[in-house]
Amino acid sequence: MLCRERLQRMLEEAGVSYQVMTHPVAYTAQEVAAHLHVSGYQVAKVVMAKVDDRLVMLVLPAPHRVDLERLRKELGATSARLAHEEEFADVFPDCEVGAMPPFGHLYGIPVYVDRSLTRDPEIVFNAGTHRETIRIRYEDYDRLVQPQVLDFSTGP
């Protein structure tokens, strides 16, 4: 089953209203925002990290960057670094590498959302490919994923 199909099934079973959008191939969250003509602050970018050798999913607005020192402190960890592609590519077998949706719980990965992403009523995220995205209300995302909300990013 494709990632998008898996997401759609989950959203429909949960009674969540959503919109699937297609766009030209985009490899960065900012490119997605530009193609869809939406604010980059609505686009939920997924960044994979290793915190004390544990793989975690970080979700933040497209224009923001992960502050690894803040993340480490927020989690009370000894170390925090960005994960290498080969460390997580196999974890998401139904997704193109780098196009994972912010639903780490579907893959057994803890999810941490930067507080700045919670400010918009809707979010847009990759649906497993570099050509498809889904838009849902942030409150629905929060209810489904139940991520831990932290302050770990810096804005532009």
PDB file of all heavy atoms in Angstrom, residues 31 54 66 83 114 124:
ATOM      1  N   GLU A  31       9.934  24.589  -1.309  1.00  0.00           N
ATOM      2  CA  GLU A  31       9.490  24.410  -2.692  1.00  0.00           C
ATOM      3  C   GLU A  31       8.027  23.966  -2.729  1.00  0.00           C
ATOM      4  O   GLU A  31       7.263  24.421  -3.583  1.00  0.00           O
ATOM      5  CB  GLU A  31      10.348  23.362  -3.406  1.00  0.00           C
ATOM      6  CG  GLU A  31      11.753  23.809  -3.721  1.00  0.00           C
ATOM      7  CD  GLU A  31      12.600  22.693  -4.321  1.00  0.00           C
ATOM      8  OE1 GLU A  31      12.408  21.510  -3.937  1.00  0.00           O
ATOM      9  OE2 GLU A  31      13.450  23.009  -5.161  1.00  0.00           O
ATOM     10  N   ARG A  54      18.705   7.261  19.589  1.00  0.00           N
ATOM     11  CA  ARG A  54      17.322   6.846  19.315  1.00  0.00           C
ATOM     12  C   ARG A  54      16.812   7.695  18.158  1.00  0.00           C
ATOM     13  O   ARG A  54      16.938   8.914  18.161  1.00  0.00           O
ATOM     14  CB  ARG A  54      16.479   7.072  20.571  1.00  0.00           C
ATOM     15  CG  ARG A  54      15.043   6.646  20.444  1.00  0.00           C
ATOM     16  CD  ARG A  54      14.353   6.784  21.792  1.00  0.00           C
ATOM     17  NE  ARG A  54      14.353   8.167  22.232  1.00  0.00           N
ATOM     18  CZ  ARG A  54      13.258   8.861  22.531  1.00  0.00           C
ATOM     19  NH1 ARG A  54      12.083   8.294  22.468  1.00  0.00           N
ATOM     20  NH2 ARG A  54      13.334  10.114  22.911  1.00  0.00           N
ATOM     21  N   VAL A  66      16.193  23.241  12.689  1.00  0.00           N
ATOM     22  CA  VAL A  66      16.335  22.554  13.971  1.00  0.00           C
ATOM     23  C   VAL A  66      17.550  23.117  14.697  1.00  0.00           C
ATOM     24  O   VAL A  66      18.627  23.245  14.115  1.00  0.00           O
ATOM     25  CB  VAL A  66      16.509  21.034  13.781  1.00  0.00           C
ATOM     26  CG1 VAL A  66      16.805  20.345  15.112  1.00  0.00           C
ATOM     27  CG2 VAL A  66      15.278  20.432  13.121  1.00  0.00           C
ATOM     28  N   ALA A  83      19.892  12.795  11.664  1.00  0.00           N
ATOM     29  CA  ALA A  83      20.103  11.417  11.218  1.00  0.00           C
ATOM     30  C   ALA A  83      20.556  11.414   9.768  1.00  0.00           C
ATOM     31  O   ALA A  83      20.177  12.283   8.978  1.00  0.00           O
ATOM     32  CB  ALA A  83      18.815  10.610  11.366  1.00  0.00           C
ATOM     33  N   ASP A 114       7.570  21.220  16.830  1.00  0.00           N
ATOM     34  CA  ASP A 114       7.984  22.526  17.338  1.00  0.00           C
ATOM     35  C   ASP A 114       6.745  23.379  17.573  1.00  0.00           C
ATOM     36  O   ASP A 114       5.819  23.397  16.757  1.00  0.00           O
ATOM     37  CB  ASP A 114       8.916  23.221  16.348  1.00  0.00           C
ATOM     38  CG  ASP A 114       9.527  24.462  16.973  1.00  0.00           C
ATOM     39  OD1 ASP A 114      10.449  24.305  17.795  1.00  0.00           O
ATOM     40  OD2 ASP A 114       9.054  25.579  16.665  1.00  0.00           O
ATOM     41  N   VAL A 124       0.088  21.500   6.002  1.00  0.00           N
ATOM     42  CA  VAL A 124       0.248  20.786   4.742  1.00  0.00           C
ATOM     43  C   VAL A 124       1.514  19.951   4.892  1.00  0.00           C
ATOM     44  O   VAL A 124       2.508  20.429   5.444  1.00  0.00           O
ATOM     45  CB  VAL A 124       0.398  21.777   3.564  1.00  0.00           C
ATOM     46  CG1 VAL A 124       0.699  21.041   2.264  1.00  0.00           C
ATOM     47  CG2 VAL A 124      -0.834  22.649   3.427  1.00  0.00           C
TER      48      VAL A 124
END
